[in-house]
């Protein structure tokens, strides 16, 4: 018998190509998600201008999206999450999503939109640090640089409106912390259940909570074709496509990289507002957008 020699585990060129392809696919999913979430504010402005209340828009958003996703699950014969995973996903929708939205909209009452956005988008850095602390991902120089660049880009894009009270800062930071927990929990659960079932349960759970809010405060529905069209766009593009895209991307990239890539959202909002709402877009905002895009490209190409 010949002597045994230790076997080294090597990554073959084929495996490296598979990893790169998976990362590029994950990045594409998150970019599509960021465009969907980034367009949410534009569609929301149209719906609110049509007379709809915040609670009604959010209720219709998650109800329509949840029903469509449930129908898709039936067509694809996907199993529903069960047991502990079902309860976790329900909590993510009823507590995590609703709590984050409550803190975000409360922050807007006590702080400028720019400061609120900046505080919320602390979550990619928080997710990256938490993922490293939990041993889920290695904190490489590239990841640190990408997080720093994306955060710097967000600061530049919202630099004209950084004002707020301590209450606004607390609510804005609270939104970032809640969203960080939401993403870290969702990373594990969605890998077991799949992106579509996870997003479906979250949407339906959030719809129940917002439905109760509508019943409590009374309904103010949107008026006209534009208002209802905006609500439909919110449900289809800014919820179904955006949420499923984020979960699908997170499965391939991990929570930290997916969160950093999602900083494209405010850049998309800025560009869409300039294109469709006539809002100004200066050199500082453009520089911020370039920084964020640079971070996105670097992470997408990382092996």
């Amino acid at each position: 018998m010949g002597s045994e020699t230790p076997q080294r585990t090597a990554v073959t060129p084929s495996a490296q190509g598979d990893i790169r392809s998976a990362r590029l696919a994950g990045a594409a999913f998150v970019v599509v998600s960021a465009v969907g979430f980034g367009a949410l504010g534009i569609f929301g402005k149209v719906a609110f201008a049509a007379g709809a209340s915040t609670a009604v828009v959010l209720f219709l958003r998650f109800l329509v999206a949840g029903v469509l996703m449930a129908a898709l699950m039936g067509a694809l014969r996907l199993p529903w999450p069960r047991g502990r995973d079902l309860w976790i996903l329900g909590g993510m929708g009823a507590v995590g999503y609703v709590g984050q939205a409550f803190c975000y909209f409360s922050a807007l009452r006590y702080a400028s939109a720019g400061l609120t956005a900046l505080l919320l988008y602390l979550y990619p850095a928080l997710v990256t640090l938490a993922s490293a602390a939990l041993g889920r991902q290695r904190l490489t120089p590239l990841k640190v640089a990408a997080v720093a660049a994306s955060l710097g880009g967000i600061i530049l894009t919202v630099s004209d409106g950084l004002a707020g009270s301590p209450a606004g800062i607390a609510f804005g930071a609270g939104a970032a912390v809640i969203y960080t927990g939401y993403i870290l929990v969702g990373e594990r659960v969605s890998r077991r259940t799949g992106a579509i079932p996870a997003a479906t349960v979250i949407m339906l759970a959030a719809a129940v909570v917002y439905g109760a809010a509508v019943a409590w405060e009374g309904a103010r529905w949107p008026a006209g074709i534009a208002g209802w069209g905006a609500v439909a766009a919110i449900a289809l593009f800014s919820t179904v496509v955006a949420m499923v895209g984020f979960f699908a991307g997170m499965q391939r990239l991990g929570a930290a990289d997916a969160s950093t890539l999602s900083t494209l959202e405010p850049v998309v909002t800025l560009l869409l507002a300039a294109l469709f709402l006539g809002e100004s877009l200066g050199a500082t905002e453009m520089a911020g957008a370039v920084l964020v895009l640079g971070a996105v490209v670097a992470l997408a190409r990382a092996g």
Side-chain angles (χ1 to χ4, degrees):
M1 295 178 61
S3 61
E4 295 184 0
T5 58
Q7 299 292 322
R8 290 187 179 181
T9 301
V11 179
T12 65
S14 176
Q16 288 179 339
D18 291 342
I19 293 171
R20 180 65 60 87
S21 296
R23 286 191 62 84
L24 289 175
F29 277 122
V30 177
V31 168
V32 171
S33 169
V35 174
F37 282 130
L40 177 61
I42 309 301
F43 296 136
K45 282 182 176 290
V46 176
F48 295 144
S53 66
T54 300
V56 162
V57 170
L58 292 173
F59 168 63
L60 292 174
R61 173 193 184 190
F62 289 111
L63 177 64
V64 173
V67 170
L68 290 175
M69 291 292 289
L72 178 61
M73 283 186 62
L76 297 177
R77 297 183 178 180
L78 297 176
W80 283 84
R82 295 183 179 182
R84 184 168 176 264
D85 286 344
L86 178 61
W87 285 102
I88 291 174
L89 291 168
M92 287 175 63
V95 179
Y97 227 112
V98 172
Q100 186 267 350
F102 172 79
C103 286
Y104 180 78
F105 283 106
S106 297
L108 288 173
R109 295 177 57 191
Y110 301 103
S112 65
L115 180 58
T116 301
L118 175 60
L119 291 169
L120 173 63
Y121 281 93
L122 290 174
Y123 81 83
L126 296 177
V127 171
T128 299
L129 293 174
S131 293
L134 294 171
R136 296 186 184 180
Q137 284 198 4
R138 189 161 56 92
L139 198 60
T140 64
L142 174 62
K143 294 181 189 294
V144 174
V147 170
S150 64
L151 184 59
I154 298 298
I155 292 173
L156 289 176
T157 58
V158 301
S159 58
D160 288 339
L162 299 180
S165 67
I169 294 173
F171 278 121
V177 171
I178 292 173
Y179 202 40
T180 297
Y182 170 93
I183 289 172
L184 291 173
V185 172
E187 179 185 26
R188 288 295 178 90
V189 179
S190 65
R191 285 178 178 173
R192 295 193 296 266
T193 64
I196 293 176
T200 303
V201 174
I202 290 171
M203 292 175 196
L204 292 175
V208 170
V209 175
Y210 285 118
V214 170
W216 175 265
E217 70 175 28
R220 287 191 286 116
W221 306 102
I225 296 176
W228 284 103
V231 169
I234 288 172
L236 292 173
F237 186 56
S238 296
T239 306
V240 172
V241 173
M243 286 185 67
V244 173
F246 184 79
F247 277 117
M250 187 165 60
Q251 288 177 2
R252 291 162 174 82
L253 298 172
D257 289 356
S259 297
T260 303
L261 288 175
S262 70
T263 53
L264 268 176
E265 293 169 23
V267 174
V268 170
T269 303
L270 190 75
L271 295 175
L272 291 177
L275 287 173
F276 298 106
L277 301 180
E279 296 185 7
S280 61
L281 184 62
T284 302
E285 289 83 359
M286 287 297 296
V290 169
L291 269 178
V292 173
L293 289 172
V296 168
V297 172
L299 278 181
R301 292 178 60 86

